[in-house]
Amino acid sequence: MPGSIGTPRDLTRRCLPALTVAALSLLAGRSFGFVYITSEHARWPGPAIPVVVQLGNSSRVLQDGSLSFNQSIENAMALWNQQIANAQFTWREEPRTRAASPNGTTTISFEANVYGDAFGRDTLAVTIVTNSGTRLIETDVMFNVKRWVFDSYFGPLESQSAEDLHRIGLHELGHSLGLDHPNEKNQAVLAIMNANVSNLDHLQADDVAGAQSLYGARADAPPVTKRGRLANISTRVRVGAGDDVLIGGFITRDGTKQVLIRALGPSLPLAGRLADPTLELHDANGAVIAANDNWKETQRQAIEATTIPPSSDFEAAILATLPPGTFTAVVSGKGGMSGTALVEVYDLSPGTGRIANISTRGRVSTGNDVMIGGFIVAGPESQRCIIRGMGPSLRPAVPTALFDTSLELRNGNGVLMASNTGWRNAPNLNLGAYGLSAMTDAESAIGCRVVPGNYTVILKSPTNGSGIGLVEVYDVNP
Ligand SMILES: [Ca+2]
Ligand SMILES: [Ca+2]
Ligand SMILES: [Zn+2]
C-alpha cells in the first residue's frame, strides 16, 4: 500500500544464533537459494529505480580509493546494474537535510534510527521495503551511524572500527531490488544476501541469479568473477638523450587492442617542458613498428576521429591496433633536446583484450622531476594491482639507475592511499605468487585493490638520489 511502512530488512555484524526454520522453503530442491522479500515477488517496474544518495563525503581517505561514501554506494549500484536488464538504479546526489521517512522517495543515508525507532543492537544497516502488490515503490536504505564507523574496502572483514559500506551496500541494494536473506529461509548458499556480513566482498552467483530472476539478465552481464581493468596510463618525466629517454611499456592480453599513444610536451602547463617530442612504438624484439614526430603529419584524420588529438602540432601520436604482446613507446626530444614530457596510452577498445601491465622508465630526480605515473581503472568492478618501483635491479644494463626507490599511491583527489620504502616492509604483498619477487631490498612495492577511478603513482629516491627509475603497475586480477 503506498505510504505504508514496509518490511524492514537488516544486516548484522555478528552471527545470529542458529535459526530454527519450521517451514520448508518454497524453493527447496532448486539449485539456487535466493529468496524474495515479498510474497508477491514484488519488483520495480523499471526502467529506472530512482534513488537519492545522501551519504556525502568521508572525513577520511576511504581504503579502496573511493573519494566519498556516495561514490562507494554508487559503485555498488553500478555492479547490480550491469547484471540486470529491465530496471536500473538511477541516482542523484543530495545533501541530507532531514531524516529518512516513508515519503515515496527512496533515499540512501546515514541515520541514527529507523523512521524514529531504534536500530537493533548489532544492526549495520536497514532497508525498508514498501510494495504495492507486485510493484516495489520505495526502499529507503539506512546505515546505522549511531553504532558503527564506516569505511569502504575489499577483502576480509576488518575490526569493528571499520565497517565496509560497499559490501553492506551491495546487500541492502539487493533488498531494494526485492531479494531477502537465503540463510533465513533454509537455504545454504554463498551469498551477499545472507543475513550476516562476512568476508564475501562481491556479488555471488546466487545473488545475481536472484536479481536476474526478477529483472532478466543483461546480454552483456559479466561473470561474477570479473574484475576491473587498467585503462589509460600516463607518465610524466624529464626526458633527455641516451638512457634518459622516456620509455612507456605495456602488455596486452586476451585479444586485439586498439590504442592511442600520445607524447606531449609543448601543451604541458609546466616550466621546462619538452618543446618538440618524438615518439616510436617498438615490439617485443625492439623493432620499430610505428614512428611519429608531429601528429598531423601521418594519421591526422584517424587521430582527430578519436576526439583526443594532442593540442600542439609539435606533439606526437600513434594510433595502433595491436595483437596480444609486449610493446614499448619511446619518447625523446627532437634533435637531442631535453625537457619534461608526458607519455599516454589510451585504451580505445575496452570490449576486447586487456592491458595487463604498464610501466615507465625514465630519469628520476628530486622536486618537480620525480616520476609521476597515472593510471585509470575502468569499472564498475574493482582492480587488484601490484605496483613496483625499480632502480638497482636495472644495473648493470643501466649504469645510471637509481640506488633506491620509494613509491606513493594517490587517489584522484591527490590524497595519499599507500606508500612504501623497501618492499619487505609492505603489508599484504605476495610478490612471489606473481613471479615479481626479483627485487633488491632498496626497491619498493605496493599491493592494492581499488575502485574505478584515477590514480597517481610517484616514484622517487628516499635518499634524494637521481638516476633512471622504472615504475610498473601489474593487473593481478584473477
Ligand atoms: Ca523515503
Ligand atoms: Ca614533434
Ligand atoms: Zn539484509
Side-chain angles (χ1 to χ4, degrees), residues 443-456:
E443 291 171 317
S444 302
I446 291 172
C448 55
R449 182 160 167 197
V450 292
V451 291
N454 298 312
Y455 297 90
T456 302

Side-chain angles (χ1 to χ4, degrees), residues 15-33:
C15 287
L16 295 167
L19 291 168
T20 308
V21 180
L24 279 177
S25 167
L26 295 172
L27 299 166
R30 291 167 36 109
S31 57
F32 285 114

Side-chain angles (χ1 to χ4, degrees), residues 244 362-365 371 395 398 400-403 461 465-469:
D244 291 351
R363 170 157 285 277
V364 177
S365 189
M371 183 183 285
R395 296 168 190 271
V398 183
T400 55
L402 286 173
F403 284 102
S461 159
S466 292
I468 303 298

Side-chain angles (χ1 to χ4, degrees), residues 100-107 115 138 140:
S101 66
N103 57 358
T105 298
T106 292
T107 55
Y115 292 173
E138 182 176 3
D140 286 340

Side-chain angles (χ1 to χ4, degrees), residues 193-445:
M193 292 315 300
N194 284 332
N196 306 105
V197 72
S198 74
N199 289 337
L200 295 181
D201 62 3
H202 59 280
L203 295 179
Q204 303 293 302
D206 184 72
D207 302 312
V208 169
Q212 290 178 340
S213 76
L214 291 168
Y215 300 99
R218 251 171 77 161
D220 58 351
V224 293
T225 53
K226 186 170 180 259
R227 287 289 180 274
R229 60 188 176 80
L230 296 172
N232 308 337
I233 59 166
S234 67
T235 304
R236 194 189 88 188
V237 71
R238 189 166 175 82
V239 171
D243 277 347
D244 291 351
V245 298
L246 168 58
I247 301 176
F250 55 98
I251 295 175
T252 59
R253 272 203 200 132
D254 304 340
T256 298
K257 187 147 278 304
Q258 187 182 41
V259 295
L260 179 70
I261 306 165
R262 311 198 306 176
L264 307 185
S267 66
L268 299 179
L270 293 173
R273 55 191 176 250
L274 184 62
D276 194 350
T278 67
L279 176 63
E280 287 178 356
L281 178 61
H282 297 224
D283 68 13
N285 301 319
V288 177
I289 53 178
N292 178 250
D293 175 4
N294 302 321
W295 69 275
K296 284 184 175 173
E297 291 166 0
T298 48
Q299 298 173 292
R300 176 174 179 172
Q301 277 190 322
I303 289 169
E304 282 175 342
T306 66
T307 73
I308 45 174
S311 51
S312 161
D313 290 356
F314 294 99
E315 294 175 331
I318 293 171
L319 183 65
T321 300
L322 303 171
T326 300
F327 302 91
T328 49
V330 180
V331 180
S332 52
K334 194 169 182 174
M337 70 173 65
S338 63
T340 300
L342 183 74
V343 65
E344 300 170 315
V345 180
Y346 286 88
D347 178 356
L348 299 183
S349 58
T352 61
R354 62 171 168 158
I355 297 178
N357 157 262
I358 57 183
S359 64
T360 311
R361 202 193 90 175
R363 170 157 285 277
V364 177
S365 189
T366 56
N368 283 334
D369 292 334
V370 298
M371 183 183 285
I372 302 175
F375 64 96
I376 295 177
V377 173
E381 302 91 347
S382 60
Q383 169 82 50
R384 284 180 209 269
C385 53
I386 288 176
I387 304 168
R388 298 202 303 175
M390 310 296 281
S393 294
L394 303 177
R395 296 168 190 271
V398 183
T400 55
L402 286 173
F403 284 102
D404 49 18
T405 66
S406 68
L407 284 173
E408 291 180 0
L409 175 66
R410 293 179 179 269
N411 72 6
N413 278 4
V415 177
L416 184 66
M417 291 181 58
S419 64
N420 178 250
T421 300
W423 65 275
R424 289 188 191 279
N425 305 318
N428 309 320
L429 190 64
N430 186 1
L431 294 174
Y434 304 100
L436 300 176
S437 53
M439 301 176 71
T440 74
D441 288 358
E443 291 171 317
S444 302

